[in-house]
Amino acid sequence: MTKIKNNYFEDLLKINKAILAPMAGVTTLPYRLFMREMGCKIFISEMVSAKGLYYKSKNTFPLMETNELEHKDSVTGIQIFGSEPEIMGEITERYINDTAFDFIDINMGCPMKKIVNNGDGSALLKDLDKANKVVREVKSASSKPVSVKVRLGFNENIIEDIIKAIEDGGADMITVHGRTREQVFTGEVDYDGIKKAKETASVPLIANGDLDNYLKAKEKMDYTGADGVMIGRGANYDPFIFSQFNECISGKKVSEYSLRDKIDAARKHFEIHLKYSKDKKKVIEFRKYLYWYIKGIKNSAKIRNSINNVNEIDQVYEIFNRIDDILEL
Ligand SMILES: Cc1cc2nc3c(=O)[nH]c(=O)nc-3n(C[C@H](O)[C@H](O)[C@H](O)COP(=O)(O)O)c2cc1C
């Protein structure tokens, strides 16, 4: 098959091969800005509902928040979900083309019932004709490159058909989470499925799923032949994963980090969070990150319990101080 020239993502992936996965409620603007400082250079926003934009839902617009920093030496795409091709095209033209986002990512992987029952997210993998039209409409309305994030299939692995359908619609890059919708987040990731996707695709292909340390990410990128990797939950627990991955693929000595370094990074995250979060409950919003950061800290059960009651800025610093005490023992 002749390779389609795909300069935007090809050029991007020549320099940076690791993308922070879109995670609703997690990959907010402050989190992306933090991860940018930690060495990640390619981001995708939380998923944004096309219908929410179309019907001007006031809860939807804040999810589109971005700022100039995340487009400086780094790029950020906006992820949209929806299954009505015309609406997807219309909101692209009306609300997305004029934003600072560098590219658009279409969500065809979300397994959540409330999304799938509306025919959105991974439900599109059951109707490849529709999936094709969704990509086609977004692509023709968009002034930006368009990527698509999929799973291997809905109930079964049909990745080759999926790749063909969305490439035919005009996708410029494809990310494959190596599970079916039925698997949700359990069961082994099928890296052979991702390998098959890479062999089928003409556009850059990104491997995703359980790449929770830099070595595994590098190994699976090599094994599947993928052009890059997308890392989600691994980054929540290990904020150094991107810088280590980048060192590893450029043949440099990979830096090692201690729990102490992780807690210092968590403090930095909290400062960035306080500076950029517009959430009225920004401290409560930070609780989930704290739970992830204390993983690996000995005897942290009591700290874990007190995170549930964290409401004020000072309480977060108290948690950090208690962790310091444990680390100094
Ligand atoms: C809390 C959470 C929220 C997620 N939200 C999204 C989302 O908004 N859009 C999307 O395409 N995938 C979403 N995902 C899936 C991730 O992008 C990724 O495909 C999945 O977690 C597998 O990668 P990982 O093993 O590196 O985490 C979410 C995953 C988690 C855990």
Side-chain angles (χ1 to χ4, degrees), residues 10-165:
E10 271 180 16
D11 289 350
L12 188 62
L13 293 162
K14 268 183 210 151
I15 308 165
N16 290 293
K17 294 186 184 299
I19 306 174
L20 179 66
M23 288 182 278
V26 179
T27 51
T28 58
L29 174 66
Y31 188 68
R32 300 194 301 264
L33 293 175
F34 165 61
M35 277 294 159
R36 182 175 169 276
E37 297 219 352
M38 299 306 290
C40 182
K41 297 292 177 211
I42 311 177
F43 303 95
I44 301 181
S45 73
E46 304 172 80
M47 62 181 184
V48 175
S49 162
K51 273 197 181 149
L53 294 178
Y54 189 77
Y55 293 110
K56 300 190 169 68
S57 153
K58 67 176 190 330
N59 295 334
T60 304
F61 290 91
L63 298 171
M64 294 177 67
E65 199 193 357
T66 180
N67 74 10
E68 71 285 356
L69 263 183
E70 64 173 350
H71 307 282
K72 196 175 147 195
D73 310 325
S74 59
V75 300
T76 305
I78 178 167
Q79 190 186 64
I80 53 173
F81 73 94
S83 50
E84 289 175 37
E86 297 73 25
I87 290 186
M88 293 287 273
E90 188 151 345
I91 58 106
T92 297
E93 219 168 283
R94 212 188 307 163
Y95 296 113
I96 296 182
N97 280 344
D98 286 341
T99 63
F101 286 106
D102 302 283
F103 64 94
I104 299 177
D105 187 66
I106 304 174
N107 180 326
M108 294 196 188
C110 183
M112 280 159 60
K113 263 201 193 121
K114 67 173 186 193
I115 303 288
V116 167
N117 290 347
N118 280 330
D120 301 339
S122 60
L124 280 164
L125 305 178
K126 289 191 291 188
D127 186 346
L128 295 184
D129 231 26
K130 206 175 204 187
N132 173 286
K133 287 192 185 112
V134 164
V135 183
R136 194 172 290 281
E137 286 293 322
V138 173
K139 180 70 188 164
S140 70
S142 175
S143 57
K144 303 169 192 284
V146 175
S147 59
V148 183
K149 182 163 177 280
V150 300
R151 286 175 174 249
L152 293 173
F154 195 82
N155 297 311
E156 50 173 349
N157 181 345
I158 53 159
I159 193 62
E160 289 162 89
D161 294 339
I162 293 171
I163 299 279
K164 284 176 194 148

Side-chain angles (χ1 to χ4, degrees), residues 66-309:
T66 180
N67 74 10
E68 71 285 356
L69 263 183
E70 64 173 350
H71 307 282
K72 196 175 147 195
D73 310 325
S74 59
V75 300
T76 305
I78 178 167
Q79 190 186 64
I80 53 173
F81 73 94
S83 50
E84 289 175 37
E86 297 73 25
I87 290 186
M88 293 287 273
E90 188 151 345
I91 58 106
T92 297
E93 219 168 283
R94 212 188 307 163
Y95 296 113
I96 296 182
N97 280 344
D98 286 341
T99 63
F101 286 106
D102 302 283
F103 64 94
I104 299 177
D105 187 66
I106 304 174
N107 180 326
M108 294 196 188
C110 183
M112 280 159 60
K113 263 201 193 121
K114 67 173 186 193
I115 303 288
V116 167
N117 290 347
N118 280 330
D120 301 339
S122 60
L124 280 164
L125 305 178
K126 289 191 291 188
D127 186 346
L128 295 184
D129 231 26
K130 206 175 204 187
N132 173 286
K133 287 192 185 112
V134 164
V135 183
R136 194 172 290 281
E137 286 293 322
V138 173
K139 180 70 188 164
S140 70
S142 175
S143 57
K144 303 169 192 284
V146 175
S147 59
V148 183
K149 182 163 177 280
V150 300
R151 286 175 174 249
L152 293 173
F154 195 82
N155 297 311
E156 50 173 349
N157 181 345
I158 53 159
I159 193 62
E160 289 162 89
D161 294 339
I162 293 171
I163 299 279
K164 284 176 194 148
I166 56 184
E167 268 192 0
D168 182 71
D172 298 308
M173 179 177 83
I174 300 167
T175 302
V176 180
H177 178 184
R179 292 186 171 95
T180 60
R181 187 268 169 173
E182 204 172 66
Q183 288 176 287
V184 190
F185 287 101
T186 59
E188 296 281 296
V189 171
D190 177 359
Y191 297 105
D192 287 314
I194 299 177
K195 191 170 182 204
K196 180 57 86 185
K198 169 61 193 168
E199 285 160 10
T200 310
S202 306
V203 295
L205 190 119
I206 306 298
N208 171 240
D210 289 359
L211 303 177
D212 54 7
N213 65 68
Y214 76 89
L215 258 186
K216 184 172 178 187
K218 163 82 167 72
E219 265 169 37
K220 298 303 181 192
M221 185 173 80
D222 292 346
Y223 178 75
T224 58
D227 301 281
V229 292
M230 177 179 278
I231 298 171
R233 291 163 297 174
N236 301 150
Y237 292 102
D238 175 6
F240 302 103
I241 193 167
F242 288 101
S243 64
Q244 288 181 315
F245 177 82
N246 291 339
E247 284 171 345
C248 180
I249 61 166
S250 55
K252 291 187 188 145
K253 185 173 180 306
V254 177
S255 311
E256 287 183 20
Y257 297 96
S258 61
L259 287 173
R260 163 86 277 141
D261 296 324
K262 184 159 89 168
I263 298 308
D264 289 345
R267 277 192 161 93
K268 188 200 267 184
H269 179 187
F270 188 52
E271 277 156 27
I272 293 174
H273 183 81
L274 289 179
K275 184 166 174 193
Y276 291 101
S277 174
K278 296 203 175 111
D279 198 313
K280 277 189 210 129
K281 297 179 178 166
K282 59 173 96 172
V283 175
I284 293 176
E285 197 198 347
F286 199 75
R287 285 180 190 171
K288 59 177 163 287
Y289 303 109
L290 283 175
Y291 288 121
W292 293 323
Y293 290 134
I294 64 165
K295 193 182 170 207
I297 309 276
K298 275 192 196 147
N299 303 322
S300 59
K302 276 195 187 146
I303 296 184
R304 173 166 286 277
N305 288 338
S306 38
I307 293 174
N308 294 333
N309 303 317

